[in-house]
């Protein structure tokens, strides 16, 4: 449905997302694509209805099977992440669920990093368990532990870089090699990297698909975060480079009826053009705040993968600094507040922040803060984490100096250092 004649030679992802091949309706060339809304799509004849095929996107048949608006967003997300096929789902969590339900059957096992996004673990302990699919958690920082846990029943390995809350950055290429060596599918939750910090389908940055290149089988992405950029829409994507795997996921997607609304797709399309700029701004603000925390006595440990000494920093550098113009790290980091402070003091610190709102999710313009109880989230307290209370910050697009003043006043009020 798209015009390939303009497949431009523009190299950078930001340019590519803006100068994307798109064929507007005749005589209506404008910056933004149209929003096509439909459940029903008309067929001129019954013969035409019988002949149209939605699976390869060669025709439109029903709103749930795709519209020009959703196809366009899928194409742009493929450009962003370096994949070939994309499916849209109603949330990031739905993307994780779709992957699991597509490839796992009764008797299979799925391996999940112990620092994974919490609801992915809950899905495994809930629905997957009910379907007779077992799960185990592996140490994200130990490829040997992953290898040890892969068994004849392992069908899928989840990867996340870095872990959602404790921010450890795994040796992603090595984890993928371990999966390849055992012939196990690997799926990455790529929400943090967003297609910008590293290339999930070209982990060695040597040109995707080339001999000896390394890539994940599946990239799942919560578009709710950086692609949406507004904190106002929920959506997810599942991207692949293998046509057979894509078809398997697509048929499951169809049977589950995971459609997305055209207006939501348009909201993401509108924001996607600025994702590279926003991501860099979130990143640089997060680093300014993290650097401030590093100088504070209340900070027992800084958990930001781009900082020397943070768990997995060398893995972050090896993967992300490889990207031309790269070394990016998103706008997310955590601080382990010294164990001398009670949970109540840390909660009061969070409550007294004026610019940071208390709220889940991230990727929008407003900075967010959430204290987490790591002990209840992990199998055991990891050796690489200092004792204390973890607070996660997601930086918005405010002026970093204002945010630092806010942290300062709240810390002075509720985290006295004597
Ligand atoms: C937010 C998030 C999700 C889920 O996205 P929703 O759209 O909120 O369902 C999945 N993985 C990670 C790492 C996330 O941060």
């Amino acid at each position: 449905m798209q015009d390939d004649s303009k497949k431009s030679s523009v190299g950078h992802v930001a340019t590519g997302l803006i100068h994307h091949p798109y064929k507007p309706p005749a005589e209506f060339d404008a910056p933004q694509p149209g929003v096509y809304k439909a459940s029903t799509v008309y067929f001129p004849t019954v013969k035409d209805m019988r002949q149209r095929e939605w699976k390869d996107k060669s025709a439109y048949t029903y709103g749930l099977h795709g519209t020009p608006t959703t196809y366009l967003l899928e194409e742009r997300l493929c450009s962003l992440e370096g994949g070939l096929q994309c499916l849209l789902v109603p949330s990031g969590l739905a993307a994780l669920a779709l992957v699991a339900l597509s490839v796992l059957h009764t008797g299979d096992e799925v391996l999940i990093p112990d620092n994974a996004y919490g609801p992915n673990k809950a899905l495994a302990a809930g629905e997957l368990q009910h379907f007779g699919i077992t799960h185990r958690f592996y140490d994200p920082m130990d490829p040997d532990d992953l290898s040890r846990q892969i068994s004849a029943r392992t069908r899928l390995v989840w990867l996340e870089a870095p872990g959602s809350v404790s921010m450890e950055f795994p040796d992603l290429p090595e984890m993928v090699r371990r999966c390849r060596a055992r012939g196990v599918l690997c799926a990455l939750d790529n929400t943090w990297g967003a297609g910008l910090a590293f290339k999930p389908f070209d982990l060695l940055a040597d040109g995707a698909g080339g001999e000896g290149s390394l890539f994940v089988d599946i990239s799942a992405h919560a578009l709710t975060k950086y692609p949406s950029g507004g904190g106002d829409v929920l959506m997810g994507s599942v991207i692949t480079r293998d046509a057979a795997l894509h078809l398997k996921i697509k048929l499951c997607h169809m049977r589950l009826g995971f459609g997305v609304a055209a207006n939501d797709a348009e909201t993401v399309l509108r924001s996607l053009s600025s994702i590279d700029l926003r991501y860099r701004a979130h990143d640089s603000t997060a680093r300014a705040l993290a650097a401030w925390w590093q100088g504070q006595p209340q900070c027992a440990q800084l958990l930001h993968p781009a900082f020397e000494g943070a768990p997995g920093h060398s893995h972050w550098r090896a993967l992300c600094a490889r990207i031309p113009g790269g070394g990016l790290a998103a706008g997310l980091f955590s601080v382990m507040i010294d164990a001398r402070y009670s949970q109540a003091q840390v909660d009061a610190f969070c409550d007294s922040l004026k610019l940071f709102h208390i709220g889940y999710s991230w990727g929008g313009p407003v900075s967010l803060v959430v204290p987490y109880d790591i002990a209840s989230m992990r199998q055991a307290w990891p050796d690489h984490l200092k004792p204390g209370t973890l607070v996660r910050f997601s930086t918005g697009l405010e002026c970093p100096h204002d945010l630092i003043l806010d942290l300062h006043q709240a810390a002075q009020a509720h985290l006295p250092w004597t």
Side-chain angles (χ1 to χ4, degrees):
M1 304 292 129
Q2 304 308 322
D3 176 10
D4 278 2
S5 65
K6 264 183 70 184
K7 276 236 154 78
S8 47
S9 52
V10 285
H12 194 275
V13 66
T15 315
L17 283 172
I18 294 164
H19 291 267
H20 196 267
Y22 162 68
K23 195 174 171 207
E27 313 279 320
F28 194 79
D29 204 354
Q32 282 301 316
V35 184
Y36 296 87
K37 299 201 224 179
S39 50
T40 299
V41 172
Y42 296 143
F43 305 93
T45 63
V46 172
K47 180 167 176 244
D48 193 75
M49 182 183 79
R50 289 189 182 129
Q51 279 175 350
R52 282 201 201 174
E53 179 52 79
W54 56 272
K55 289 193 210 72
D56 61 0
K57 294 193 182 182
S58 61
Y60 299 107
T61 52
Y62 187 58
L64 205 48
H65 301 169
T67 65
T69 312
T70 57
Y71 283 3
L72 183 61
L73 178 54
E74 287 169 5
E75 278 194 27
R76 289 196 184 174
L77 291 166
C78 283
S79 308
L80 175 65
E81 296 203 36
L84 292 177
Q85 310 92 11
C86 174
L87 289 161
L88 298 175
V89 290
S91 70
L93 185 52
L96 306 179
L98 175 63
V99 170
L101 297 177
S102 304
V103 304
L104 296 170
H105 301 143
T106 303
D108 290 345
E109 185 157 86
V110 54
L111 301 183
I112 302 174
D114 197 27
N115 60 353
Y117 176 70
N120 200 14
K121 292 172 131 183
L123 172 70
E127 278 60 30
L128 298 187
Q129 193 77 40
H130 299 159
F131 299 154
I133 298 157
T134 57
H135 63 277
R136 284 201 269 172
F137 302 119
Y138 67 89
D139 179 349
M141 303 309 279
D142 184 0
D144 291 336
D145 186 49
L146 173 62
S147 294
R148 259 195 309 276
Q149 301 221 42
I150 293 177
S151 74
R153 293 201 300 115
T154 311
R155 193 72 53 227
L156 174 68
V157 171
W158 275 107
L159 303 161
E160 200 173 318
S164 267
V165 172
S166 39
M167 306 299 295
E168 304 94 338
F169 209 98
D171 185 349
L172 197 58
E174 183 58 22
M175 294 296 196
V176 172
R177 278 188 204 101
R178 300 296 176 105
C179 296
R180 290 270 172 273
R182 304 285 289 276
V184 175
L185 274 182
C186 57
L188 171 74
D189 181 332
N190 193 31
T191 305
W192 178 93
L196 295 166
F198 60 90
K199 296 291 166 196
F201 296 102
D202 186 14
L203 293 169
L204 305 178
D206 61 352
E211 190 65 32
S213 67
L214 200 64
F215 44 88
V216 301
D217 295 300
I218 301 167
S219 171
H221 191 166
L223 308 178
T224 308
K225 309 290 168 55
Y226 292 118
S228 131
D232 57 354
V233 60
L234 288 153
M235 202 178 292
S237 60
V238 176
I239 298 185
T240 47
R241 285 190 69 86
D242 180 275
L245 178 60
H246 169 68
L247 182 60
K248 185 179 204 168
I249 302 171
K250 184 173 204 157
L251 291 172
C252 179
H253 179 264
M254 187 55 227
R255 289 188 291 259
L256 292 170
F258 275 177
V260 304
N263 282 346
D264 287 350
E266 193 270 344
T267 304
V268 178
L269 271 171
R270 197 162 198 271
S271 300
L272 204 56
S273 315
S274 61
I275 188 173
D276 184 68
L277 263 183
R278 289 184 286 105
Y279 194 88
R280 287 168 193 273
H282 289 292
D283 178 359
S284 90
T285 300
R287 289 188 212 214
L289 270 51
W292 178 85
W293 270 114
Q294 242 181 352
Q296 304 307 307
Q298 296 95 335
C299 173
Q301 190 177 16
L302 176 65
L303 301 165
H304 185 309
F307 279 68
E308 205 71 58
H313 168 69
S314 61
H315 300 144
W316 168 80
R317 188 155 22 79
L319 187 67
C320 299
R322 217 188 265 275
I323 303 289
L328 297 180
L332 208 63
F333 69 98
S334 295
V335 172
M336 194 64 85
I337 305 284
D338 194 281
R340 75 180 63 195
Y341 300 104
S342 65
Q343 182 74 56
Q345 280 176 298
V346 174
D347 292 355
F349 161 79
C350 295
D351 284 339
S352 69
L353 288 164
K354 295 185 169 69
L355 295 177
F356 291 83
H357 286 241
I358 299 161
Y360 295 116
S361 198
W362 32 278
V366 179
S367 291
L368 299 171
V369 63
V370 181
Y372 282 93
D373 176 16
I374 288 293
S376 72
M377 296 165 69
R378 302 289 281 263
Q379 311 247 82
W381 192 276
D383 289 342
H384 58 260
L385 291 185
K386 299 254 168 70
T389 303
L390 186 144
V391 178
R392 190 184 72 181
F393 297 92
S394 152
T395 55
L397 296 172
E398 303 94 335
C399 166
H401 183 64
D402 292 336
L403 295 173
I404 289 172
L405 288 179
D406 194 23
L407 293 173
H408 181 75
Q409 65 79 19
Q412 285 230 308
H414 297 286
L415 304 175
W417 184 268
T418 46

